[in-house]
Amino acid sequence: MPLLGVNIDHVATIRQARRAQEPDPVHAAVLAELGGADSITVHLREDRRHIQDRDVRILRDTVRVRLNLEMAVSDEITQFALRTLPDQATLVPERREEVTTEGGLDVITHMQRVSQCVDQLQGAGIVVSLFIDPDVAQVQKSRELGVEAVELHTGAYAEARGQQNIDREFDRLREAGLFALSQGLILNMGHGLTYQNVTRVAQINGVHELNIGHSIVSQAVLVGFERAVRDMKALITA
Ligand code: PXP
């Protein structure tokens, strides 16, 4: 059974929509831990569109489970990581115009930059995971880079339509996962996982952790909405 890493970026997305103080991702992290999260993930993007530096600094002090920082291979964010010292860093590709992380990090093309970044982070005692497509060549290169873990991108599986396509993408995950395990890598998976599509992925042998964000935040908004309206109504009619 895999562990659950909860990505709380979109709590910050709601906050930043109003440049307000609520909802605070720090509060969400506490509740996620109470709900059984095995790690808390945040992505400090270069454009700071959701998570802010302050969030990561406070989370570093308050999160009791592992703190996983998703980050681009960039000098500025690497320096931030070296100051803040998350337990784990997951290197992801990042483009300003994208809505969310699109595709895995191409560790073959960007080997040199990735290697430098990995060395710096590991030198500070941070466990490094690479977010890559479920592709044997990418897994192989990740192993050569000496990282502890890979996170296989489940987006193509999540977005596939039609049983044949879903099965094909699922097989790619399983096969790349098996290869990662055979290379001694910790095997994580994530992106686009939902209450509808997660079960099958959770049953893949050897998966250490699933990282899930958007679907959990979406569920929280809906499951908590009725209660939130009742609480406000009670206050104004008291
Ligand atoms: N893993 C990685 C590397 C990601 O970039 C993201 C999105 O921030 C996730 C997992 C979580 O994806 P989702 O929000 O679709 O669950």
Side-chain angles (χ1 to χ4, degrees), residues 7 9-10 41 43 50 70 90-92 100-101 131 151 189-193 211-216:
N7 180 316
D9 289 350
H10 293 317
T41 294
H43 184 175
H50 40 53
E70 275 181 26
T90 300
L91 302 186
V92 301
T100 181
T101 314
F131 182 56
E151 179 175 337
M189 296 192 187
H191 208 286
L193 295 176
N211 282 314
I212 307 179
H214 185 262
S215 197
I216 291 177

Side-chain angles (χ1 to χ4, degrees), residues 98-172:
E98 70 190 0
V99 176
T100 181
T101 314
E102 293 166 358
L105 182 64
D106 183 348
V107 293
I108 298 172
T109 307
H110 304 293
M111 195 192 71
Q112 228 157 14
R113 285 185 57 219
V114 174
S115 174
Q116 258 181 8
C117 183
V118 168
D119 288 349
Q120 284 180 291
L121 294 168
Q122 286 183 329
I126 301 169
V127 170
V128 180
S129 178
L130 301 176
F131 182 56
I132 54 173
D133 286 332
D135 177 277
V136 166
Q138 295 288 338
V139 175
Q140 173 74 41
K141 187 56 76 182
S142 301
R143 194 191 64 75
E144 286 168 27
L145 284 162
V147 293
E148 289 87 352
V150 290
E151 179 175 337
L152 298 184
H153 194 320
T154 48
Y157 160 76
E159 279 163 30
R161 294 294 168 261
Q163 200 55 46
Q164 256 189 350
N165 294 332
I166 295 171
D167 289 348
R168 193 185 52 234
E169 294 302 335
F170 180 76
D171 287 343
R172 285 183 65 206

